[in-house]
Amino acid sequence: MLSSCFAPISLILCIALHVGTAGALPNPTAEIRARNFANQTLVVYDGSLENGFSDYSWAKVNLKNPTPTHTSPTSIRVDAYQWQALYLHHNAFNADPLDTLQFWVYSGTPGLQVQAQGTLLGKPQPAIPIINQPAVGTWFFVSVSLNALGVAANSNFDGFWLQVTNGGDATFYVDNIALVGQAPASSANITVDASHVIRHNLSKALFGINAAVWDGVFDTDTTVDLLHEAGYTTLRFPGGSISDTYNWKTGRSLNNTWAWTLTFDRFAARAIQGGFDIMLTTNYGSGTAEEAAEWAQYCLTKNYPCKYFEVGNECYGSWEHDEHAKVQDPVTYAAQFQLFYRAIKAVSPSFLVGAVTIPGEDTFANYASESVTNPRTHTAHAGWTPVVLSHLRDLAVMPDFIIDHRYPQNPGEESDPLLLHSTHGWTDDAVSLRQMLTDYMGPDSAKVALLATENNCVSSLPNKQSTSLVNAVYLADSFGQLLTTEFQALMWWDLRNGPETNPNQPGLYGWRTQGDYGIVSTGNSTKYPAFYAAKMVSKFARPGDDILLVDSTSTNIAAYASRRPGQQSVILINKSPSPVTATLSFPRGPFGPTPATLSSWGFDQDEAARMSQPAGQDVVVTQTTWTPGTVFAIKQYSLLVVVLSV
């Protein structure tokens, strides 16, 4: 083994170079699939690009080179001139808890010199020399810290490149590329500060789920029972993109001669039966403000529990139906929102009307010529949200709320560890949206609420991750993280959607082969893991609760705490593929033995489902006594709710 250190400028980088023939030395990625990311490893290349990475190279690259290879079936061959590079890109994600980039390199050119650079939102960070004239014809193991690359623990990390710096033609091969973090801690200390309330009086809208017009079995007592069991209290209707084609009077979309299965009246009847609040998404794409006002009047006349009215669904996106002269146009949307807003408010000032927005000042800049200037920073932005808010300000219309949809992955990018470390994104979204409200609409916008009305693991084409235990863990942690922000609503997507057979990325956990956005299946309402996660969440928190400050010593154990009269509750979420133990402490009390109810669900119950053992699939509830120093054992990908009687 050769060990060397480079100290370019003020950075110090230690690189370990192992020299030998393919397969002769330990391979840090060889057991990744078998261990299921047990060492917090994110595979980038292992015979193919994985976990959503794409080739953005500006060199000649063969991703399926047959020989030489290290341990993968194929390797990456790079033929480059000076300053050309192998560039592997990913949509921006949080690099925490990853800390090193590791790979194997085989030099085919004497005198090869290569530098590495990480990128943050496409912007290269300082270059680090990593290869300096290695021997030709042997594999070298390279490990470079993300800190040295300038991307460690950064939520804007979106790739890296390996760039040839020596003159002339160069050929090299790369294999077994991975981003590696420290092994998950096997224990965690959880501290609840009952004197520090970070949120008061949870609203019913935080316990929401989307219902849809295609749900043929929604209009049943079974549905109401399922929604109660899962703890939901608010329903959104008529269902995502269909909202922009849906005529509430006829129950049809556009010029269809057939009506959707679930009528609005039958939906509302079940909402009344279950005591659910209703959020309606009005038809911006092919409807009118008058049509929306008639819907609002109908709800008022029928005494339906409709509280929220959204004007359209994801109107910035080309996938949405839009019959306006200028499609997906933020200026047109703002003008139309004014009409919708005033028409609905004329029916009842108590109705809350919300506008479609999206985080980021340059996100969905559909028309560059419509850019507006941020009054605080004096910079121009053409993104959807700045343009909409700026024009609403000019129209003297202040929405009651603005809308966020969060799908942390796109199809083909699915990665279990990235998904389970993506929930911090709620904080980023809240900060971005609030700052834009303040900047473009002024201090009066402080009264505008933030509502998240769709959330799931992937933006489209769900694969087996959506029906796996991992997505259940994500649901619980997503809810908990959102509670630490100012968002006033969260609507999971959705109740019933339907099975889909889409490509499964290598390394995804789970035994189900199909994807499904629903928490239960269509037809027989089989409960997916996400259903049980929602049920566990409802045992932790409910409308009216306060949320307390919690500290966890492990990034793999998420913890959240709530309080209601006579009870304190904590949910512990094991996001790692390994069992853990957690010690729960309350410095502000209770100080002695306290009656406790434990609810647990996760790995064991999902295994029971795999083995077709119905009796073992549900949440397990036990009565016990908590004492200071009590240690709880939590299986991999599992949830535990501790409710103390105080």
Side-chain angles (χ1 to χ4, degrees):
M1 182 181 77
L2 302 176
S3 181
S4 59
C5 291
F6 299 90
I9 314 176
S10 61
L11 295 171
I12 297 177
L13 167 67
C14 291
I15 301 177
L17 298 179
H18 300 269
V19 186
T21 58
L25 295 170
N27 174 12
T29 63
E31 296 181 302
I32 284 172
R33 289 195 182 91
R35 291 186 293 163
N36 196 34
F37 301 104
N39 67 340
Q40 291 297 318
T41 297
L42 184 70
V43 177
V44 177
Y45 180 89
D46 200 9
S48 62
L49 292 176
E50 300 184 14
N51 286 304
F53 280 88
S54 301
D55 178 20
Y56 277 34
S57 302
W58 65 95
K60 183 179 178 181
V61 170
N62 179 5
L63 297 175
K64 292 292 183 182
N65 175 68
T67 186
T69 65
H70 184 241
T71 63
S72 303
T74 59
S75 64
I76 300 176
R77 173 173 173 153
V78 183
D79 295 293
Y81 300 111
Q82 187 178 27
W83 309 121
Q84 290 186 326
L86 168 69
Y87 179 18
L88 301 182
H89 176 270
H90 195 287
N91 281 350
F93 66 93
N94 193 342
D96 185 33
L98 305 170
D99 53 28
T100 59
L101 169 64
Q102 299 182 0
F103 53 91
W104 289 78
V105 176
Y106 181 104
S107 175
T109 301
L112 177 68
Q113 294 178 327
V114 175
Q115 67 183 17
Q117 288 181 268
T119 59
L120 300 176
L121 298 180
K123 182 178 180 180
Q125 303 306 294
I128 304 297
I130 59 170
I131 298 174
N132 186 21
Q133 304 183 39
V136 175
T138 58
W139 283 98
F140 290 81
F141 175 60
V142 179
S143 178
V144 52
S145 76
L146 297 189
N147 186 57
L149 290 173
V151 298
N154 195 303
S155 61
N156 294 321
F157 176 48
D158 63 353
F160 56 89
W161 62 62
L162 307 180
Q163 186 175 46
V164 172
T165 59
N166 58 288
D169 298 344
T171 298
F172 64 98
Y173 306 84
V174 189
D175 197 359
N176 303 122
I177 309 172
L179 294 162
V180 181
Q182 297 180 0
S186 60
S187 63
N189 295 318
I190 312 298
T191 304
V192 179
D193 186 353
S195 69
H196 192 159
V197 178
I198 62 174
R199 186 175 195 140
H200 292 277
N201 192 20
L202 298 183
S203 71
K204 288 180 67 175
L206 287 162
F207 302 82
I209 193 167
N210 281 268
V213 291
W214 60 75
D215 189 344
V217 292
F218 183 91
D219 187 18
T220 61
D221 290 340
T222 296
T223 292
V224 175
D225 291 342
L226 286 168
L227 290 168
H228 282 161
E229 183 181 352
Y232 288 111
T233 55
T234 302
L235 306 177
R236 181 175 180 249
F237 183 87
S241 296
I242 281 177
S243 305
D244 284 321
T245 67
Y246 178 73
N247 185 307
W248 71 271
K249 292 181 182 177
T250 65
R252 298 175 181 176
S253 288
L254 303 177
N255 296 321
N256 290 346
T257 58
W258 48 270
W260 291 101
T261 303
L262 179 60
T263 68
F264 174 58
D265 281 321
R266 293 314 307 159
F267 164 78
R270 291 297 180 178
I272 291 171
Q273 176 187 346
F276 308 120
D277 285 347
I278 293 175
M279 173 180 289
L280 297 177
T281 311
T282 61
N283 182 350
Y284 169 80
S286 60
T288 64
E290 291 75 19
E291 179 184 310
E294 290 174 1
W295 201 1
Q297 183 62 60
Y298 187 77
C299 294
L300 191 65
T301 302
K302 288 282 193 175
N303 200 29
Y304 289 162
C306 303
K307 297 183 61 175
Y308 306 92
F309 291 81
E310 298 175 294
V311 179
N313 180 82
E314 298 176 359
C315 304
Y316 43 76
S318 59
W319 54 88
E320 293 294 320
H321 184 80
D322 191 342
E323 296 183 359
H324 296 92
K326 203 170 183 180
V327 299
Q328 281 81 53
D329 174 34
V331 175
T332 301
Y333 179 83
Q336 288 295 309
F337 180 86
Q338 172 193 211
L339 301 178
F340 276 72
Y341 178 89
R342 289 176 174 162
I344 294 170
K345 286 290 191 178
V347 174
S348 174
S350 67
F351 288 150
L352 303 177
V353 185
V356 170
T357 55
I358 190 167
E361 288 188 276
D362 298 303
T363 308
F364 283 97
N366 297 339
Y367 297 94
S369 62
E370 296 177 347
S371 66
V372 295
T373 299
N374 184 314
R376 176 177 59 89
T377 64
H378 307 293
T379 55
H381 298 279
W384 174 272
T385 301
V387 178
V388 167
L389 296 181
S390 180
H391 282 269
L392 287 180
R393 178 199 62 210
D394 294 343
L395 293 167
V397 175
M398 187 75 71
D400 295 306
F401 61 91
I402 61 173
I403 300 156
D404 187 24
H405 289 177
R406 182 155 186 81
Y407 295 91
Q409 304 174 123
N410 290 321
E413 299 175 359
E414 293 90 347
S415 163
D416 289 342
L418 287 185
L419 176 66
L420 294 179
H421 286 90
S422 70
T423 55
H424 71 283
W426 285 122
T427 299
D428 298 338
D429 286 6
V431 170
S432 174
L433 291 170
R434 178 55 61 191
Q435 188 65 63
M436 286 189 288
L437 277 168
T438 302
D439 289 349
Y440 293 98
M441 300 201 79
D444 287 348
S445 67
K447 63 186 179 183
V448 178
L450 309 184
L451 272 59
T453 61
E454 288 186 24
N455 179 215
N456 208 313
C457 62
V458 67
S459 59
S460 63
L461 305 177
N463 61 21
K464 74 174 189 177
Q465 186 186 66
S466 62
T467 55
S468 78
L469 195 55
V470 168
N471 203 31
V473 173
Y474 170 72
L475 182 152
D477 192 33
S478 180
F479 176 81
Q481 279 288 322
L482 182 132
L483 293 185
T484 67
T485 73
E486 64 167 292
F487 278 102
Q488 297 298 316
L490 177 59
M491 310 282 167
W492 185 256
W493 182 269
D494 59 353
L495 175 59
R496 294 187 184 90
N497 205 77
E500 298 187 35
T501 303
N502 295 309
N504 293 312
Q505 303 307 307
L508 292 180
Y509 178 89
W511 52 270
R512 297 169 185 83
T513 58
Q514 291 182 314
D516 194 332
Y517 278 128
I519 62 169
V520 295
S521 67
T522 53
N524 63 0
S525 295
T526 298
K527 299 171 182 176
Y528 292 128
F531 175 90
Y532 292 107
K535 184 174 180 176
M536 287 290 287
V537 163
S538 72
K539 291 181 177 297
F540 152 66
R542 63 187 67 160
D545 285 1
D546 294 338
I547 300 301
L548 307 176
L549 182 66
V550 181
D551 178 68
S552 171
T553 59
S554 172
T555 59
N556 291 312
I557 311 300
Y560 307 96
S562 68
R563 181 174 64 195
R564 66 186 69 100
Q567 290 185 337
Q568 283 185 185
S569 302
V570 181
I571 186 169
L572 304 177
I573 304 168
N574 183 359
K575 300 194 290 184
S576 80
S578 304
V580 299
T581 58
T583 303
L584 190 57
S585 61
F586 299 85
R588 302 283 181 172
F591 302 105
T594 305
T597 301
L598 305 184
S599 299
S600 60
W601 182 87
F603 177 79
D604 287 344
Q605 288 71 31
D606 194 50
E607 283 295 287
R610 182 177 66 86
M611 301 297 292
S612 299
Q613 300 171 348
Q617 297 179 29
D618 207 348
V619 173
V620 177
V621 180
T622 57
Q623 303 298 322
T624 186
T625 298
W626 173 86
T627 56
T630 298
V631 177
F632 297 102
I634 310 172
K635 288 288 187 71
Q636 57 268 43
Y637 295 146
S638 296
L639 315 175
L640 175 68
V641 174
V642 182
V643 180
L644 302 182
S645 298
V646 294

